[in-house]
Amino acid sequence: MAWDREDFSRAYRRLAPVYDHGLLLYELVGMRLRRYRREAVAGLHLQPGDTVVDLGCGTGVNLPLLLGAVGPTGRIIGVDLSPEMLEQAQRKIDAEDWCNVELVASDMVDYVFPPHVDAVLATLALATIPDYDSVIRTIASALPPGGRLANFEMTWPEAWPDWLVKLGAKLQQPFGVTTDLKDRKPARSIQRHFARCDSSERYFGAISFCIAIRQAGTGVNV
């Protein structure tokens, strides 16, 4: 059964101090998360001075990449449910003396986007919530024409047998991965709510990668 908000809060309270080290385990099995993050940020086509929201920012692993893109005149807003994960992100901010990063403790479903957001980044985040479709629709409404969403998620390839899905979920259970996540497809919602969406796969189909653009003259698709 999928985790609810309280399940995630409890788990990531414990995981926060070791989360960054835990991500290295994925790199050891060939899942190049750092490369995917670089590709996602590059796909946003950020310019100096832009405002970008990092949904599910966690411990702030995306912050250096985003800061390199928007520069000191830009603005980054990191949103995460877990105060403990945000504490780790704040340590990075304080250590580097970054002055243009704001952290917000909020469920993605409840988050209200500020005006003038140029882009949204979501990495390994949207599929963790049951109501991801509503969040994606809100993102599409918040972005201006030309605004971009970059997203990548772990997904279960259709061809994988059930035993492998169950094994994968078991191994990743500490991160909130459960077998019913195989039915969650944020990429399909992104394609539905954005007039233009370029989708691709990584790591033998286990990573779904999307760059979506809110086009001028188009509303949010329902």
Side-chain angles (χ1 to χ4, degrees), residues 31-53:
M31 190 174 285
R32 306 304 186 193
L33 296 183
R34 286 177 290 185
R35 179 191 298 172
Y36 307 152
R37 294 181 195 278
R38 290 195 298 270
E39 291 180 10
V41 172
L44 291 175
H45 291 187
L46 294 167
Q47 300 297 316
D50 279 353
T51 294
V52 56
V53 174

Side-chain angles (χ1 to χ4, degrees), residues 52-102:
V52 56
V53 174
D54 185 1
L55 282 181
C57 68
T59 61
V61 291
N62 294 324
L63 292 179
L65 296 171
L66 293 172
L67 282 158
V70 304
T73 60
R75 180 187 181 197
I76 299 169
I77 304 169
V79 180
D80 201 273
L81 173 66
S82 169
E84 291 78 16
M85 295 285 276
L86 291 177
E87 285 177 12
Q88 299 298 317
Q90 188 63 54
R91 291 183 182 182
K92 293 182 174 74
I93 293 167
D94 294 341
E96 299 293 338
D97 198 25
W98 292 327
C99 299
N100 55 339
V101 182
E102 173 189 353

Side-chain angles (χ1 to χ4, degrees), residues 1 18 23 46 54 71 97 112 134 145 148 150 162 164 180 213 218-219:
M1 186 172 70
V18 297
L23 292 177
L46 294 167
D54 185 1
D97 198 25
V112 178
S134 174
R148 291 178 175 238
D162 286 345
L164 187 55
D180 54 333
I213 305 172
T218 61

Side-chain angles (χ1 to χ4, degrees), residues 156-161 182 185 188:
W156 304 112
E158 302 290 345
W160 282 18
K182 66 184 176 65
K185 307 291 183 182
R188 294 179 183 175

Side-chain angles (χ1 to χ4, degrees), residues 100-124:
N100 55 339
V101 182
E102 173 189 353
L103 300 179
V104 179
S106 174
D107 192 308
M108 286 182 280
V109 175
D110 302 326
Y111 180 66
V112 178
F113 286 82
H116 312 301
V117 171
D118 299 292
V120 175
L121 177 67
T123 59
L124 304 175

